Amino acid sequence: MRALVKLAIIGMVFSLVLIPVAGLSQAEDAPRRRVLYLNSYHRGYKFSDDITQGLETVFKEPGQNVDLLVEYMDTKRLDSPEYMEELYQLYKVKYGSRPPDLVISSDDAALNFLFEYAQDLFPDVPVVFSGANYFDVTRLEGYPNFTGVSELADAQGTIDLALELHPQTRRIVVVNDTTVTGQRVHERLAVLEGDYPEIAFTYLEDISMDNLRLQLSQLSSDSLVLLTIFFRDNAGGFFEYDVFTPLVSKSSTVPVYGLWDFSLGYGIVGGELTSGATEGERAAQLAVRVLNGESPQNIPVVQEPAARYMFDYEQLQRWGIAESALPDDSFVLNKPFSFFEQYAQIVWIVGASFLVLAVAIAILVFNIFRRRRVEAQLAQSLTELQNTSALLEERVQERTEALRQRATLLEAAAEVSRATTEIVDLDVLLPTVVELVQQRFDLYYAGLFLLDESREFAVLRAGTGDAGRAMLAQGWELRVGGQSMIGRCVATGKADIQLDVAVRPGDAPVHFDNPHLPETRSEMALPLRVRGEVIGAMTIQSQRMAAFEQDDIRTMQTVADQVAAVITNARLFAQVQEGLAAERRAYGEMTYAAWQQLLLASSNLGYVSDRRATRRVGDEWRPEMQTALESGKIVAGESGVTLAIPILVREQAVGVIDGRKKDGSAWLPEEITLLQSLVDQLNVAVESARLYEESQRRAMRERLVSEVSGRLRASRDVETVLQATIRELGQALGAAATIRMTPLAADEAVGPAVGPAVGPAGSATLQRGPRH
């Protein structure tokens, strides 16, 4: 699934890259279209040059691919039939073998030429015309490939505007020539005359330039001049627009208005003027539609005018015409530059922007002052914060260092505790404690004091270094409650710390000056407490001043309490060991006495095992056996053949095993070990057997006493009791017994009877006899 997604993404990327390339390639590969432009006039004629500019503007748009070919017919100078025939022959030679894709004409002369020669010169080639003044669409009958733009110079719009600006006008003088274009204009104006019954129209057409200028200079003030075109006069003179327009304007005593924009700037006031560039653009747009496949027959001729109100500022000033009287959106040429008028919108925008900026600047200035105050406060707060942060960091570092030291102290305390827990001998424990405390806590000296039996002195029991050994040799002791820190500590049961023990003149003594420890600068005395009782104290001393802190008391007191507990445990262990040893000795003695009685009662108690049988042994004691019995250790005979192993009960030898091998060889170490293990089991077994026999005898005696007591309690008189007692004693003990009763003397004290007597006074005699 992921592979498909990746392929799809790659395909999309390639398509996005290749589509523009393909479009560019198609545009480059598209065939070029050749468009022939027949210009009725010559290069430099402004109106037709403007049409050319309009055509090029459209054809140069992306994707058009049009090659524009221009032919100037120059009909302003030559328009005879012979000249037209020569043009026909020329174009037939130039375009007969390769006709254009479309033909565009400007003005009436070129259009008339095409009406006559197009079918022969350019068969089936579409034609788009422009500049055809007031074109009559009925002329297109029989010409399906023709369409175009009718040039409608808005004479009525110009006349209406001129009459509005000059309401006193009663006569309009039209300056026009007799060319084809002039004839079309004359026809249009003749139609318009009926719309202005109060206005007289005068046409100055078939006239020389000199006569024209003369008549214009004699016009009355109620007249206006409407200049159309005047390229040729009746004397055969030819005049460009930039020539005839100034001549007419300078000669006229009244304002001159026009119909085309090529005269603007050369002396006319203005009017609703037609532009050649606009006409060219409209014709080019129709040509593009035809080139793209649309039939000219389906494209109607454009009959709407495209004029615009245009004026010359200098002529407005010359004739006193206010600019405010002009129509809205009028174009005024040669107007002096007015920054406000030229850029009014920008000025308003900039002004509004400046106002907004001024307000913003005021706000910003206010904010800057306020920000500076805030910045000052922040700087002060930042300084305080930095100081606080530095102080906190310092405190954190100090606290961290203190915690590290505390952790080190606790770790050392734990190590001291672990190291001393397993030691139970005080003579080993106390020196070990002070050495560990001195080493782990990096001290100058450490010592342990224990109270004597009178609890009046704290006696040094352990100390580090040469000073400790010297003081131990001297039997160093300090009085409880004396001037020393140890004495005060033991007396009060509280820790004491001195950060500087140096005694200065006038200071109260706080430290016992010890000649053995001259370098001591700081000291701490810690009580050794067990269950609320002080048994001594521990002193720790440093060569550094202020080496200890109040918080160190808790850590070191923990060590001291552990030491006190270990000392107490060691003492209790010693007492328990002594009690156990005493009990073992007493029990051993009792066991030995019991075995002696047993052995005395059973003489020659012993057995021998050989090839024949197991039998009692005689009274034979070899030297090795005697030695083993006396020493309690295994004794081997000569050459290791014989082996005497003592039988031990409660560490008392009560017998000996004499062993020798049947083959007479010496005993091996592993065999001796095996025999020792067997003898150890024998030791336990014989002691268990003896204890069992003893318990049986004790049980029998208790049962006998119970039976006798029961029978005695059954008797009710003294004689019967005496008789029963003597009888039971005789039967139980196998002895003859006599009881005699005698009265007491008067002065004899009455006390408890001793022996078996049961009466108030008397005696009993017991004699062992033969047992039955």
Side-chain angles (χ1 to χ4, degrees), residues 335-347:
K335 183 178 181 180
F337 179 76
S338 172
F339 184 85
F340 179 78
E341 293 182 1
Q342 185 73 20
Y343 304 104
Q345 185 176 5
I346 297 177
V347 169

Side-chain angles (χ1 to χ4, degrees), residues 46-47 50 259-266 268 273-277 310:
K46 188 176 184 307
F47 188 78
D50 289 345
L259 298 181
W260 282 276
D261 66 347
F262 53 74
S263 293
L264 188 66
Y266 294 98
I268 66 171
L273 308 181
T274 298
S275 170
M310 300 181 187

Side-chain angles (χ1 to χ4, degrees), residues 461-524:
R461 295 293 303 275
T464 58
D466 295 337
R469 286 188 288 274
M471 287 186 286
L472 286 172
Q474 294 178 7
W476 196 267
E477 60 183 17
L478 298 173
R479 179 175 293 278
V480 175
Q483 295 182 354
S484 66
M485 292 179 63
I486 292 295
R488 293 195 302 273
C489 174
V490 173
T492 60
K494 298 180 180 179
D496 193 3
I497 183 172
Q498 294 298 331
L499 302 181
D500 186 3
V501 299
V503 179
R504 299 175 179 82
D507 292 345
V510 295
H511 168 74
F512 183 78
D513 190 11
N514 190 338
H516 296 287
L517 301 169
E519 299 181 15
T520 297
R521 294 299 304 274
S522 302
E523 181 180 3
M524 185 186 297

Side-chain angles (χ1 to χ4, degrees), residues 359-659:
V359 175
I361 289 172
I363 296 174
L364 289 175
V365 170
F366 174 75
N367 287 335
I368 288 172
F369 284 111
R370 186 175 64 177
R371 186 184 66 182
R372 287 179 178 175
R373 290 197 301 271
V374 173
E375 286 178 350
Q377 297 174 355
L378 288 176
Q380 182 178 359
S381 300
L382 180 60
T383 302
E384 296 176 355
L385 182 60
Q386 290 175 344
N387 295 335
T388 304
S389 177
L391 181 61
L392 288 176
E393 289 180 359
E394 183 178 354
R395 290 182 179 178
V396 168
Q397 291 177 355
E398 293 176 355
R399 189 61 179 170
T400 302
E401 181 63 20
L403 290 175
R404 187 190 63 78
Q405 295 178 357
R406 184 63 49 77
T408 303
L409 292 177
L410 293 175
E411 183 179 356
E415 185 175 358
V416 171
S417 177
R418 288 193 301 268
T420 57
T421 299
E422 299 178 355
I423 303 175
V424 294
D425 187 353
L426 278 179
D427 294 334
V428 178
L429 173 65
L430 299 181
T432 302
V433 168
V434 294
E435 292 293 337
L436 285 174
V437 170
Q438 182 197 26
Q439 295 173 5
R440 298 298 182 266
F441 294 98
D442 191 21
L443 300 173
Y444 170 50
Y445 173 77
L448 275 176
F449 290 83
L450 296 180
L451 290 176
D452 61 1
E453 294 182 356
S454 65
R455 300 183 65 85
E456 294 182 359
F457 291 92
V459 181
L460 180 67
R461 295 293 303 275
T464 58
D466 295 337
R469 286 188 288 274
M471 287 186 286
L472 286 172
Q474 294 178 7
W476 196 267
E477 60 183 17
L478 298 173
R479 179 175 293 278
V480 175
Q483 295 182 354
S484 66
M485 292 179 63
I486 292 295
R488 293 195 302 273
C489 174
V490 173
T492 60
K494 298 180 180 179
D496 193 3
I497 183 172
Q498 294 298 331
L499 302 181
D500 186 3
V501 299
V503 179
R504 299 175 179 82
D507 292 345
V510 295
H511 168 74
F512 183 78
D513 190 11
N514 190 338
H516 296 287
L517 301 169
E519 299 181 15
T520 297
R521 294 299 304 274
S522 302
E523 181 180 3
M524 185 186 297
L526 302 160
L528 302 179
R529 297 175 300 199
V530 178
R531 292 184 292 277
E533 180 183 0
V534 179
I535 64 173
M538 180 171 64
T539 177
I540 56 175
Q541 302 178 23
S542 176
Q543 295 171 301
R544 295 179 291 109
M545 185 175 64
F548 309 116
E549 298 179 358
Q550 290 294 333
D551 292 341
D552 295 336
I553 293 178
R554 291 193 294 270
T555 302
M556 298 308 300
Q557 186 61 57
T558 300
V559 176
D561 292 341
Q562 292 175 348
V563 171
V566 171
I567 292 173
T568 301
N569 292 338
R571 285 178 171 177
L572 292 176
F573 181 78
Q575 294 175 3
V576 170
Q577 290 296 104
E578 291 177 0
L580 289 176
E583 290 181 1
R584 282 197 296 270
R585 287 195 299 272
Y587 191 70
E589 293 174 357
M590 292 174 58
T591 303
Y592 184 74
W595 273 100
Q596 290 299 323
Q597 293 178 3
L598 176 62
L599 296 176
L600 290 176
S602 303
S603 60
N604 296 328
L605 181 59
Y607 296 89
V608 63
S609 176
D610 52 19
R611 291 188 181 95
R612 292 174 292 178
T614 299
R615 62 186 185 281
R616 284 184 174 274
V617 70
D619 191 10
E620 179 182 356
W621 287 83
R622 292 186 298 101
E624 301 93 286
M625 298 173 62
Q626 188 65 35
T627 302
L629 182 65
E630 294 174 356
S631 65
K633 298 181 180 180
I634 298 176
V635 178
E638 294 181 3
S639 303
V641 176
T642 60
L643 193 67
I645 304 174
I647 300 174
L648 300 176
V649 176
R650 302 294 179 182
E651 299 181 357
Q652 299 290 334
V654 297
V656 177
I657 293 179
D658 181 29

Side-chain angles (χ1 to χ4, degrees), residues 195-215:
D195 295 335
Y196 305 96
E198 298 178 358
I199 303 299
F201 285 83
T202 301
Y203 294 89
L204 300 179
E205 296 176 334
D206 191 11
I207 189 173
S208 66
M209 177 60 74
D210 293 337
N211 191 12
L212 173 65
R213 296 179 65 188
L214 178 61
Q215 295 191 37

Side-chain angles (χ1 to χ4, degrees), residues 233-247:
D233 61 2
N234 62 358
F238 178 80
F239 308 93
E240 284 285 0
Y241 65 92
D242 55 349
V243 175
F244 71 74
T245 303
L247 291 175

Side-chain angles (χ1 to χ4, degrees), residues 182-193:
Q183 295 173 15
R184 296 286 181 272
V185 173
H186 185 102
E187 292 173 359
R188 175 60 180 168
L189 291 175
V191 173
L192 292 176
E193 287 183 15

